[in-house]
Amino acid sequence: MKKYLLLPIISAAFCTFAAFGQEQPEAPRFNGADVQYFMRRLIGEFGKVVRERNVPAETLSPKVGVAFVVRADGSIDEWRFRDSTSEGRDRCDLAPASEATRATLTEAFSRLGGWTPATYADGRTTDYTLRLTLRIPVEKYLREQDPDPLLFLGEDPDKSFTEWMRERVRYDDRFARVGGIVCVKFYIEPDGRITIGETLETPDPKLSKEVIRVIRGSKGKWTPRKVDGVPQRTAYEYRCNYVNESY
């Protein structure tokens, strides 16, 4: 029997330093959980700051690179942003984050604590650098702040579209050994048509093709967001973790 779990529209990846040929420590833990859990918490806290400070969504960057060090005593140091202007291992193919994004993310980061340091098999702890790439759900904040938001079947698409997709994607025996996250970006045109943008993540092209098939079928069920009463082309990301329990 196959099951799948629906996830919020967030996306992130992380990387750490490694010393070739040397014993590698177990990565730091955040409140007993892995770094992926920390990233979800960080994005969640980021959203809280956006709402509390009324940060305009249009001032936020959709993708941000950060880095910091978890010291051997569990303290945090060297919080910084990574982009195409950074040097050394912090350099990455990302545009510099906006000032609003930097301020909001820094405040969100400061609210989170509870790190356990990286540990070797013999119990020794060590400093450990985490380099993370975070996907900021800018479209979600835009919809929240817009008095004339994007709707699906007259409701918030984060709920209504997710449920509609769950009932229609055929996650069947064709995907007997396929499981993982599928994330597809598409656009709702001002006239309600659907334009597929790109597949941002998938464990198998056939599964993403099935998801795209269903997305195309949502044509005519959307109410485009409006600015001053004029319908706008609006980006939307559908993200779902399909968990295959048949193997």
Side-chain angles (χ1 to χ4, degrees):
M1 179 178 180
K2 304 178 181 65
K3 299 180 181 179
Y4 55 87
L5 173 67
L6 301 170
L7 296 176
I9 307 173
I10 66 172
S11 180
F14 70 95
C15 59
T16 62
F17 69 83
F20 182 76
Q22 298 181 11
E23 177 191 1
Q24 296 303 305
E26 181 181 350
R29 307 282 289 178
F30 176 75
N31 289 328
D34 61 17
V35 177
Q36 292 287 349
Y37 171 74
F38 165 74
M39 289 189 288
R40 292 193 294 271
R41 283 286 308 277
L42 181 57
I43 293 298
E45 202 64 40
F46 182 92
K48 291 180 183 179
V49 178
V50 168
R51 298 176 187 98
E52 291 170 8
R53 307 296 187 207
N54 294 315
V55 181
E58 61 270 17
T59 66
L60 299 174
S61 304
K63 201 170 183 180
V64 185
V66 299
F68 58 94
V69 178
V70 180
R71 295 296 183 191
D73 62 1
S75 63
I76 302 302
D77 198 8
E78 297 185 29
W79 165 257
R80 58 196 185 274
F81 288 85
R82 305 166 52 237
D83 55 50
S84 58
T85 68
S86 301
E87 297 180 353
R89 299 200 64 174
D90 281 349
R91 186 177 180 84
C92 61
D93 189 22
L94 289 173
S98 68
E99 288 303 317
T101 304
R102 290 170 179 259
T104 304
L105 195 57
T106 298
E107 180 172 348
F109 181 77
S110 71
R111 296 182 179 187
L112 300 178
W115 285 96
T116 302
T119 308
Y120 289 103
D122 62 5
R124 290 177 297 122
T125 60
T126 185
D127 294 351
Y128 197 104
T129 299
L130 288 167
R131 295 180 175 87
L132 317 178
T133 301
L134 306 170
R135 188 181 297 277
I136 306 298
V138 176
E139 290 87 358
K140 176 181 178 180
Y141 306 142
L142 282 169
R143 293 195 298 273
E144 291 177 354
Q145 296 174 4
D146 196 326
D148 234 339
L150 176 71
L151 300 174
F152 182 77
L153 296 176
E155 300 178 358
D156 179 356
D158 287 353
K159 181 176 185 297
S160 59
F161 182 63
T162 294
E163 293 177 351
W164 188 87
M165 288 289 293
R166 180 179 58 193
E167 295 172 357
R168 288 163 176 79
V169 172
R170 297 196 297 259
Y171 187 52
D172 51 29
D173 290 341
R174 291 175 297 168
F175 311 113
R177 300 189 63 81
V178 176
I181 293 174
V182 176
C183 185
V184 177
K185 183 174 184 177
F186 60 98
Y187 299 87
I188 296 87
E189 304 293 350
D191 61 2
R193 291 181 298 108
I194 300 298
T195 300
I196 302 299
E198 59 181 322
T199 299
L200 300 172
E201 190 171 356
T202 184
D204 187 281
K206 292 181 181 178
L207 180 55
S208 53
K209 183 177 181 180
E210 168 64 14
V211 168
I212 290 171
R213 177 191 69 81
V214 180
I215 290 174
R216 292 187 188 280
S218 68
K219 173 185 176 181
K221 297 176 174 58
W222 295 87
T223 301
R225 66 179 288 267
K226 300 180 181 67
V227 175
D228 296 328
V230 180
Q232 304 292 311
R233 188 178 200 244
T234 307
Y236 191 89
E237 290 182 13
Y238 173 74
R239 181 180 177 85
C240 182
N241 188 13
Y242 292 88
V243 180
N244 194 323
E245 297 183 345
S246 64
Y247 64 94

